[in-house]
Amino acid sequence: MQTHQLIAHPSHPPLEVSGIEARLRSDDPNWLRIRWRIDGVGALILPKIGTKARADGLWQTTCFELFVRPQDGGAYSEWNLSPSRRWNAYDFDSYREGMRERDVAREPDGQLHAGSSFVLFDAAIPRGALPRLPADVAITAVLEEEGGIKSYWSIVHPEGKPDFHHTACFAATIPATDAP
């Protein structure tokens, strides 16, 4: 299991959120599992839970994201996972080029667990839906808080505006195999 501290983009600080920790677990032969723990959630806006389905524009409110780029190429996939149970996956041929929905035979799953001062979001992505491994990954989140305040979280941020597609954000790795 890998644990990563996400940091807010300096140009978009959060209102009350004090930190995000992401745990990536790749030892399951069927699922890639990610847990985001958000602390300081008093003003966090969470979308209403609904039916699991594909949807666009999930990043416009609280959304958890994973970008996966095989180590032998420039093409990558983007996974958007909402606490609402909505999700989407896209493929890109190169940096922000050739965007199209990723063909996925089995849907990812996401579960929200709320405490008084923290929220856990557990996601599972079918390993068969992922690009080739080993892969570099960007583990990210967009958080919306009261008043429309949005913060953008990643392990690393490039200079300038928030850009999770930037190569600098691909700061973690999923090995080809990860024995327990």
Side-chain angles (χ1 to χ4, degrees), residues 56-80:
D56 286 317
L58 298 173
W59 54 269
Q60 295 175 3
T61 187
T62 298
C63 178
F64 301 92
E65 300 179 348
L66 183 74
F67 294 76
V68 183
R69 183 185 63 214
Q71 291 181 338
D72 61 358
Y76 61 97
S77 67
E78 172 184 355
W79 295 82
N80 298 159

Side-chain angles (χ1 to χ4, degrees), residues 120-136:
L120 299 176
F121 183 71
D122 290 319
I125 298 173
R127 285 186 78 91
L130 293 170
R132 288 178 319 281
L133 300 179
D136 295 322

Side-chain angles (χ1 to χ4, degrees), residues 5 15 42 49 75 95 101 117 139 151 155 166-167:
Q5 298 299 318
L15 181 64
I49 296 175
Y95 176 75
E101 279 193 351
S117 63
I139 305 169
S151 55
I155 299 169
H166 192 280
T167 190

Side-chain angles (χ1 to χ4, degrees), residues 27-169:
D27 59 349
D28 186 317
N30 299 310
W31 298 94
L32 175 69
R33 299 182 185 280
I34 309 111
R35 168 175 276 182
W36 287 264
R37 179 190 167 105
I38 302 95
D39 290 308
V41 296
L44 186 64
I45 304 293
L46 293 170
K48 292 185 183 199
I49 296 175
T51 306
K52 188 191 307 188
R54 241 182 158 134
D56 286 317
L58 298 173
W59 54 269
Q60 295 175 3
T61 187
T62 298
C63 178
F64 301 92
E65 300 179 348
L66 183 74
F67 294 76
V68 183
R69 183 185 63 214
Q71 291 181 338
D72 61 358
Y76 61 97
S77 67
E78 172 184 355
W79 295 82
N80 298 159
L81 305 157
S82 171
S84 70
R85 301 192 69 217
R86 301 280 194 235
W87 67 277
N88 216 331
Y90 306 95
D91 281 328
F92 293 84
D93 295 327
S94 60
Y95 176 75
R96 294 189 177 272
E97 294 293 327
M99 180 180 164
R100 63 200 170 279
E101 279 193 351
R102 183 168 185 79
D103 206 13
V104 177
R106 187 172 187 185
E107 296 179 327
D109 191 32
Q111 297 289 323
L112 185 70
H113 312 279
S116 59
S117 63
F118 69 93
V119 166
L120 299 176
F121 183 71
D122 290 319
I125 298 173
R127 285 186 78 91
L130 293 170
R132 288 178 319 281
L133 300 179
D136 295 322
V137 295
I139 305 169
T140 66
V142 175
L143 299 183
E144 182 178 8
E145 294 180 273
E146 293 171 359
I149 294 173
K150 290 183 187 169
S151 55
Y152 302 87
W153 298 76
S154 182
I155 299 169
V156 176
H157 291 283
E159 290 190 29
K161 65 182 183 175
D163 183 0
F164 297 151
H165 294 255
H166 192 280
T167 190
C169 293

